[in-house]
Amino acid sequence: MEGGRRGFLFTAIMTSGAGFLSAFAPNYVSLISLRFLVGIGLGGGPVLGSWFLEFVPAPTRGTWMVVFSAFWTVGTIFEASLAWTVMPKFGWRWLLALSAVPSFLLLLFYVITPESPRFLCMKGRITEAMEVLEKMARLNNVQLPSGRLVSDKNIELDELSTSSESAILLADAEENDTIIEDKGSSFGGRSIAKLLSPKLLRATLLLWMAFFGNAFSYYGIVLLTSELSNGNRICAKEQVESIHSNDASLYKNVFISSFAEIPGSFLSAMIVDRIGRKLSMASMLFMSCVFLFPLIFSQTDILTRVSLFGARLCISASFTIVYIYAPEIYPTSIRTTGIGAASSVGRIGGILCPLVAVALVHSCRQTTAILLFELVIFLSGLAVSFFPFETKGCRLNDTEVAVS
C-alpha cells in the first residue's frame, strides 16, 4: 500500500494524460492503446474513496460516502451533455480532449491533499500523522482530544515535540495483532494473500460476487436503455436505418436516463446509515429485480422506459453502497488493495455484459437477456445477505478481524 495521496496522483496523471493524448490519436490502434491507459487510470479511482473514507467519522460515514459517490452521477450527466453538444458539431476528438479537463483539475489539488493519518500511523510516521491531525483541528476550530497518538507498530514517540502531546488515539490494536509493513509488495502476492486468508476469505469472495453482479447489471441496464428498444425494432423487421438516423438521440437518451441515478443517490443517503449497509444493498438489488420482471412478459416502449428507469435507480443505489461497505471491512494495511481487487472483479462483469447480455438482444432473444439480468441481480442480493457482518456505525479496522 503506497498511500491514498500517491494513488490520487497516479489516477489524475494517467487519466488526464492518456485521455488528452487520445484526442490526437493518428489511427485506431493508438486510440485503443491510449483508451486502455485511461482505463488503468480509472481503475485507481477506488483509492480516492478509501482515502476519503478514513477522514469521515463513523456515525455519518455512509451519508458522506454517498455524497462522494454522487459525483459519479454528476460526471455521467456532464459527459452525456458534453457529447450531446460537442459531437454533432466538432466530432469525437474535441469530446475526448474536453473530457480530460476534469482530470487535469485534480492535479491542482494534489499539493493541498493530505495523506491519511491512519496510513501514516500504520507506517509508524507519527510526526507526519500528528501534523495532518493538528492542521485538521485548526481548520475546524477545534482542539484535539487529550492523549497520545500510538502507532500500531508500537513505536515510541520520542521524536514528538511537547506540542504534539495532545493527540488522539486513532486505533487500539489488539496486543497480539501486529501489522506487517508492506515493503513495496502491496501490488504483489502478500496483500492478495491477506485478502484470501481464512479470516477474510468469506467476506472477500462474497464481496467479489456483489461487485461482479452490480457492475454487470449497472452497465447492462445503461446499455439496454437504448439497445432494448433498438432490438425490438430490428426483430419487428422495421427499417433498420431508423436506428442510426441521429446520433444525437443516443446522447439525449443517455442524458435523460442518467437522471435516474439522482433519486438513487438520495435514496441510498437516506437509508445507508439508518437500516445498515447489508439491508440497504439487498433491498435495492431485489427491488431492481422487481422492476425488470415485467419486461419478461411485455416490452412496450413505455413499460421498457419505466422499468429500466426504476431498475437503474435501484442498481445505482446498490452500487454506491457496495463501494461504501467494501473499504469498511478491510484493515488499513490492505484496504486499498481490497477495494481495488473487488473493483477489478466488477470490471470483468462490465466487460462481459455487452458481450453476453446485449448480444442476446441483438439476436432477438430479449426475454433471455432479461432473465439473465434477473438471475445475476438475484444472486448478488443473496451474496449481500450472507455478508459476515454489518459495518453501520462501526469504526474502521486497523488490524485484521476474524469473520465467522
Side-chain angles (χ1 to χ4, degrees):
M1 180 176 174
E2 296 297 328
R5 196 166 183 267
R6 291 186 183 180
F8 181 100
L9 181 63
F10 168 80
T11 299
I13 292 177
M14 184 68 73
T15 306
S16 60
F20 185 75
L21 289 176
S22 61
F24 303 93
N27 52 57
Y28 182 75
V29 174
S30 60
L31 176 62
I32 293 299
S33 299
L34 287 167
R35 299 314 292 176
F36 178 80
L37 294 178
V38 171
I40 293 177
L42 291 175
V47 173
L48 304 180
S50 298
W51 167 81
F52 180 74
L53 183 79
E54 296 180 359
F55 287 91
V56 183
T60 57
R61 190 166 60 224
T63 301
W64 277 108
M65 287 300 293
V66 170
V67 173
F68 177 85
S69 301
F71 282 89
W72 173 278
T73 301
V74 174
T76 301
I77 295 173
F78 173 79
E79 186 66 19
S81 61
L82 187 65
W84 191 5
T85 304
V86 173
M87 281 288 288
K89 296 181 179 179
F90 302 103
W92 62 270
R93 292 186 184 274
W94 275 96
L95 177 64
L96 294 182
L98 293 174
S99 298
V101 172
S103 296
F104 274 115
L105 295 179
L106 279 178
L107 294 172
L108 301 179
F109 293 94
Y110 179 73
V111 177
I112 61 174
T113 301
E115 184 57 89
S116 164
R118 284 182 176 272
F119 172 81
L120 294 172
C121 191
M122 184 197 73
K123 293 296 184 181
R125 294 155 61 180
I126 304 299
T127 303
E128 296 175 59
M130 276 304 308
E131 290 175 354
V132 174
L133 291 172
E134 289 171 349
K135 183 177 181 180
M136 291 169 61
R138 286 196 303 271
L139 292 174
N140 289 279
N141 295 317
V142 297
Q143 294 290 328
L144 288 175
S146 59
R148 286 170 56 127
L149 185 65
V150 179
S151 169
D152 289 314
K153 298 174 69 177
N154 297 321
I155 293 181
E156 295 296 327
L157 309 182
D158 295 334
E159 75 276 16
L160 293 181
S161 62
T162 304
S163 63
S164 298
E165 290 297 321
S166 57
I168 182 172
L169 182 62
L170 282 182
D172 298 319
E174 297 180 6
E175 291 181 1
N176 295 327
D177 287 338
T178 58
I179 295 178
I180 301 175
E181 182 175 0
D182 297 329
K183 297 180 180 179
S185 63
S186 296
F187 298 98
R190 182 181 297 178
S191 294
I192 298 298
K194 284 186 179 181
L195 296 178
L196 300 177
S197 65
K199 292 181 179 181
L200 296 172
L201 180 61
R202 177 186 170 188
T204 295
L205 294 181
L206 288 173
L207 187 66
W208 288 358
M209 288 181 61
F211 263 86
F212 180 92
N214 272 280
F216 186 94
S217 306
Y218 173 82
Y219 292 111
I221 291 172
V222 170
L223 291 171
L224 287 181
T225 301
S226 59
E227 292 291 343
L228 194 57
S229 58
N230 289 345
N232 285 337
R233 287 198 291 269
I234 294 174
C235 296
K237 300 186 183 301
E238 295 183 7
Q239 291 184 348
V240 179
E241 289 80 10
S242 64
I243 299 172
H244 305 286
S245 59
N246 190 356
D247 286 340
S249 64
L250 172 61
Y251 311 132
K252 180 180 178 180
N253 289 337
V254 174
F255 177 80
I256 295 173
S257 63
S258 296
F259 278 93
E261 297 185 20
I262 295 179
S265 296
F266 279 114
L267 182 60
S268 54
M270 291 171 56
I271 64 178
V272 67
D273 279 326
R274 287 181 171 84
I275 67 176
R277 281 55 159 159
K278 289 175 59 177
L279 184 56
S280 297
M281 278 187 283
S283 60
M284 289 297 98
L285 287 166
F286 292 137
M287 280 298 298
S288 186
C289 284
V290 172
F291 275 111
L292 289 177
F293 187 74
L295 296 181
I296 298 175
F297 308 101
S298 176
Q299 294 169 8
T300 61
D301 285 344
I302 295 178
L303 181 61
T304 296
R305 290 170 185 169
V306 172
S307 296
L308 291 179
F309 187 94
R312 183 164 180 178
L313 185 156
C314 294
I315 204 68
S316 65
S318 172
F319 214 170
T320 297
I321 298 170
V322 78
Y323 266 104
I324 298 171
Y325 182 83
E328 291 179 331
I329 66 174
Y330 291 120
T332 303
S333 59
I334 57 171
R335 182 169 294 125
T336 299
T337 304
I339 184 64
S343 179
S344 298
V345 174
R347 303 292 180 186
I348 295 174
I351 292 171
L352 292 179
C353 174
L355 299 177
V356 178
V358 177
L360 291 173
V361 177
H362 286 173
S363 61
C364 299
R365 288 183 284 181
Q366 294 95 325
T367 300
T368 304
I370 298 299
L371 286 172
L372 177 60
F373 279 109
E374 290 275 44
L375 177 62
V376 171
I377 295 173
F378 182 77
L379 291 178
S380 299
L382 285 182
V384 169
S385 301
F386 286 104
F387 277 159
F389 50 81
E390 175 60 61
T391 59
K392 181 188 72 170
C394 297
R395 45 167 281 181
L396 295 178
N397 294 319
D398 293 310
T399 55
E400 293 182 34
V401 294
V403 296
S404 56

